Amino acid sequence: EVHVAESGGGSVQVGGSLQLSCSASGGYNCMAWFRQTPGKEREAVASIWTGGGGEFYGDSMKGRVTIALDNGKNKGYLNLFRLKPEDTAMYYCAAGYVTRPLSPDEYKSWGQGTQVTVSS
């Protein structure tokens, strides 16, 4: 089982930036970030293969987000840019052996989430 833990959330003003971190120990071929607000389904933000081969971005933040992975430290990073109030959500990191990198159903291991709040 993969143990996953996020950090780095917080409050930021509109237009600001934020970096989230994810520590994931254990075996997995992909790390991903999803976000969720009350009453809505979890949506994909970004994912990255651990063995290289690229990153994937969901429609929700495409162009305003980058994902990176430090395999040596078992740590991933999600960089959020030009944040908007609608980006306010709980952001979750997930890791696992998957075939569809942006599908939340594929991931077995999840962190507790980190809150991002964007205010004007």
Side-chain angles (χ1 to χ4, degrees), residues 53-98:
E55 308 90 46
F56 304 87
Y57 295 95
D59 292 335
S60 61
M61 296 193 73
K62 192 172 291 184
R64 299 187 296 118
V65 59
T66 60
I67 188 171
L69 189 65
D70 185 337
N71 283 313
K73 296 182 180 179
N74 290 328
K75 201 163 186 178
Y77 304 92
L78 187 73
N79 297 293
L80 309 174
F81 307 100
R82 300 191 299 279
L83 285 162
K84 306 174 182 179
E86 52 263 44
D87 295 321
T88 296
M90 187 71 79
Y91 285 71
Y92 296 91
C93 181
Y97 287 102
V98 306

Side-chain angles (χ1 to χ4, degrees), residues 28-32 47-50 56 94-98 101-102 107:
Y28 51 97
N29 71 346
C30 197
M31 176 182 284
S47 61
I48 184 169
W49 295 119
T50 60
F56 304 87
Y97 287 102
V98 306
L102 292 177
Y107 293 87

